[in-house]
Amino acid sequence: MSQVAIPAATALLENAKPLQHKAFAGKMFIDGQWKDAASGARFERSSPAHGQVVSSFPEATGEDVEAAIHAADVAFKKGPWPRMKGVERARALLVVAEGIKARVEEMSLLESLETGKPLTQARGEVSGCVDLWQYAASLARTTSGDAYDSLGEDMLGIVLRQPIGVVGLITPWNFPIWILSQKLPFALAAGCTCVIKPSELTSSTTVILAEIIEQAGVPKGVVNVVTGKGPTVGQPLAEHPAIGMLSFTGSTRVGGLLGGIASKQLKKVALELGGKNPQIVFPDCDWDAMVDAVVFGVYFNAGECCNSGSRVLVHESIAEKFAQAVVERAQQVPVGDPLHPDTKIGAIVSENQLGEILANIDKGIAAGARVRLGGKRYDAKGLYLEPTIISDVTPEMSIARDEIFGPVLSIVTFKDVEGAIEIANDSAYGLSAAVWSNDINTCLTVARGVDAGTVWVNTFLDGYPELPFGGFKSSGVGRELGKQAVEDYTETKTIQLHIGARKNWWLPQSTK
Ligand code: NDP
């Protein structure tokens, strides 16, 4: 089968309407006040789908970062937030959750315009954040330390969990409000104060969230937002000695840089980085469900997703049937204006990202892989890329190893269960994986054998706040969500309480 055309895309792209949108003019939120940058500079963000300016923000420098960290430091050392009862922090988080609910439409539109993702999908993500804030509120009441009554008659051990201090949160552009909500409410539930730096490409919903937090009555200085560029805002934030912990989601390159800074300063760091996540397909799987999940797994969010199922390992006996089935299904997926209700794949976030994706496809072709679908930019206004499927990929090719972060599926074959696990694990990454089979033994063997923080069995990309999320190897350090999510933003303190008279150390053993 040779490369085929992509009919689903054309109508939605050709009929895209000009954008009617008044640009959102954001400010920074520092010490409870709405601020411009000390320099007065601002930067703009244009919609990658429409090429029109949709938002603008102050362009912070080190001076603004310093002011935000100072506010968070004072709020931590002297303010009420870390000293409040858990139930009071929980109530505030629940008010924020309601505030998000009330502004879903406004936030989803800005999220869609800035990222290029479908508006219908953005609505799901913004609404989903409500649950993250509510779950964090429940943990604000239930996270606790420990007590040891087993240390002998004269000793009681108590382990306290205390907030770690000022936390720096650096977030990416692919799921701006969702990824922030995997971090911020849990840090707040612990009693920490925070300085947030959103991606310069997608700052709107973070600024709106700060408005919601202000309206919820969270004390000044507890949450601060600085807008601007990675090296000029993110890096000074990470390097500042008053930052007790850094939580970052983004590229492995910047994650490594920040991890280095943190380890030099001996500060805690949580890193959620990339993935090259294998979906492993066996011949005895539920075929239709698998094909749908493969297409969903790689094209959701245009593949700009750390959990993207960008690498499919398929049993060699069904490789051709599989390639034909996914090509056929992928052709049906509507690509188009993110604001159109039928669109499933929107625009790529930036010209830079689009160029990187195309360069990765070219590397695959040069190495001998075969493009079965797509592989090119659409001839349309906006940053759109054809859904792409590449077969004849071998495990050593860069297209099977590097995170592409675009709508590009690489198909690799395997011979047996052991071989599949070996290929799956021959990767620098270990974020997630999936296994498709109706044989429980196959599923359990793969699930236990693959190096991945999450393994889906006969499903893909499901997620729940109750379940921890994070990666093995170069996919990151630490876990988000789950019942330990608040604990990650705490330090433990051991208190040893002696009961009764303490025996004198200096007395000879015979007299004790
Ligand atoms: P980055 O890692 O550069 O961006 C993530 C965040 O880090 C952004 O807020 C960014 O700010 C900030 N940042 C950038 N440089 C620094 C720095 N020196 N110090 C502190 N903070 C910094 O990702 P890119 O946007 O460049 O995307 C490149 C690749 O990264 C993608 O192709 C993809 O492979 C991966 N990625 C992975 C994500 C994930 O979910 N794991 C999310 C996004 C990207 P700003 O945007 O303002 O520059």
Side-chain angles (χ1 to χ4, degrees):
M1 187 184 152
S2 59
Q3 195 179 336
V4 290
I6 306 170
T10 39
L12 281 180
L13 281 178
E14 278 164 10
N15 301 333
K17 295 189 193 113
L19 185 61
Q20 305 291 330
H21 176 79
K22 186 171 173 297
F24 174 81
K27 290 208 173 198
M28 297 193 288
F29 191 58
I30 298 175
D31 204 16
Q33 296 188 327
W34 292 96
K35 300 258 194 192
D36 291 314
S39 69
R42 291 183 73 81
F43 64 95
E44 290 179 333
R45 170 65 176 151
S46 293
S47 159
H50 311 92
Q52 286 171 238
V53 173
V54 289
S55 52
S56 72
F57 304 92
E59 183 160 353
T61 57
E63 197 179 330
D64 305 294
V65 175
E66 187 67 43
I69 295 174
H70 178 71
D73 197 36
V74 171
F76 185 73
K77 289 184 177 143
K78 302 196 174 133
W81 187 256
R83 292 155 193 88
M84 271 181 190
K85 292 176 186 168
V87 65
E88 290 168 333
R89 286 200 291 267
R91 281 191 196 118
L93 299 184
L94 290 172
V95 176
V96 175
E98 290 305 308
I100 296 171
K101 220 187 265 178
R103 296 179 74 172
V104 166
E105 275 311 304
E106 179 192 358
M107 292 171 89
S108 309
L109 177 62
L110 282 162
E111 195 94 328
S112 170
L113 291 175
E114 287 182 343
T115 60
K117 69 175 69 198
L119 177 58
T120 50
Q121 181 195 318
R123 271 193 202 109
E125 288 163 17
V126 178
S127 311
C129 289
V130 173
D131 195 30
L132 295 177
W133 283 79
Q134 288 170 340
Y135 179 62
S138 74
L139 295 181
R141 299 189 70 165
T142 54
T143 299
S144 67
D146 217 342
Y148 287 81
D149 197 18
S150 56
L151 307 174
E153 283 197 317
D154 58 356
M155 179 56 65
L156 179 63
I158 300 177
V159 182
L160 303 183
R161 284 208 167 266
Q162 298 191 324
I164 202 160
V166 181
V167 181
L169 305 175
I170 300 180
T171 54
W173 42 260
N174 54 343
F175 297 96
I177 190 71
W178 179 269
I179 288 175
L180 180 57
S181 297
Q182 288 193 167
K183 302 177 189 296
L184 180 60
F186 300 94
L188 293 177
C192 294
T193 60
C194 300
V195 179
I196 306 160
K197 185 232 148 337
S199 166
E200 69 190 277
L201 302 178
T202 55
S203 304
S204 288
T205 49
T206 301
V207 169
I208 292 175
L209 185 63
E211 282 175 26
I212 293 170
I213 287 169
E214 180 188 29
Q215 284 154 12
V218 173
K220 70 172 188 163
V222 172
V223 173
N224 305 273
V225 176
V226 275
T227 50
K229 304 214 158 86
T232 45
V233 178
Q235 199 156 330
L237 174 61
E239 284 169 348
H240 202 289
I243 295 290
M245 176 177 169
L246 189 65
S247 178
F248 168 83
T249 299
S251 65
T252 302
R253 182 187 70 78
V254 177
L257 176 82
L258 300 183
I261 293 170
S263 72
K264 224 178 200 170
Q265 295 185 357
L266 304 177
K267 67 173 58 149
K268 192 170 175 182
V269 67
L271 303 172
E272 204 277 280
L273 310 174
K276 189 73 184 177
N277 313 295
Q279 293 218 55
I280 304 174
V281 178
F282 288 88
D284 65 344
C285 68
D286 177 342
W287 190 258
D288 252 12
M290 176 276 293
V291 170
D292 189 69
V294 165
V295 171
F296 164 61
V298 70
Y299 298 136
F300 174 68
N301 213 47
E304 295 168 324
C305 180
C306 54
N307 262 330
S308 169
S310 53
R311 192 166 56 123
V312 165
L313 313 187
V314 58
H315 190 271
E316 59 184 9
S317 65
I318 52 165
E320 188 49 36
K321 180 179 162 202
F322 172 85
Q324 290 188 22
V326 288
V327 164
E328 199 176 301
R329 187 69 59 92
Q331 284 176 280
Q332 315 302 315
V333 181
V335 182
D337 183 345
L339 302 184
H340 194 289
D342 290 342
T343 292
K344 289 285 184 197
I345 304 177
I348 301 298
V349 75
S350 66
E351 194 77 57
N352 206 19
Q353 186 65 20
L354 185 61
E356 288 284 326
I357 300 167
L358 288 167
N360 275 295
I361 295 171
D362 287 346
K363 269 198 236 168
I365 296 168
R370 190 150 67 106
V371 175
R372 305 290 286 259
L373 182 73
K376 296 191 300 301
R377 185 175 176 170
Y378 279 106
D379 186 18
K381 193 167 171 279
L383 306 179
Y384 294 96
L385 190 71
E386 294 172 345
T388 299
I389 295 174
I390 301 185
S391 70
D392 299 35
V393 177
T394 53
E396 71 286 351
M397 288 182 190
S398 65
I399 202 153
R401 309 185 79 80
D402 297 344
E403 183 178 50
I404 296 178
F405 232 61
V408 181
L409 180 69
S410 297
I411 305 174
V412 181
T413 58
F414 68 83
K415 287 185 194 311
D416 52 26
V417 177
E418 291 69 33
I421 294 172
E422 202 176 310
I423 297 169
N425 290 346
D426 180 19
S427 169
Y429 296 110
L431 189 59
S432 61
V435 50
W436 290 90
S437 168
N438 274 327
D439 182 334
I440 186 74
N441 299 310
T442 305
C443 292
L444 288 177
T445 304
V446 172
R448 290 173 81 161
V450 292
D451 300 337
T454 297
V455 182
W456 287 287
V457 178
N458 295 324
T459 186
F460 200 68
L461 277 186
D462 300 320
Y464 302 87
E466 289 84 350
L467 300 180
F469 170 63
F472 286 29
K473 304 194 278 191
S474 298
S475 290
V477 174
R479 294 289 180 271
E480 295 186 323
L481 306 178
K483 65 179 178 217
Q484 88 297 342
V486 172
E487 292 179 5
D488 287 346
Y489 294 98
T490 64
E491 285 279 23
T492 59
K493 182 182 281 174
T494 298
I495 300 181
Q496 300 181 24
L497 293 153
H498 194 270
I499 301 162
R502 188 172 173 277
K503 289 187 182 98
N504 283 332
W505 169 73
W506 61 272
L507 282 175
Q509 190 64 26
S510 55
T511 61
K512 282 188 186 173

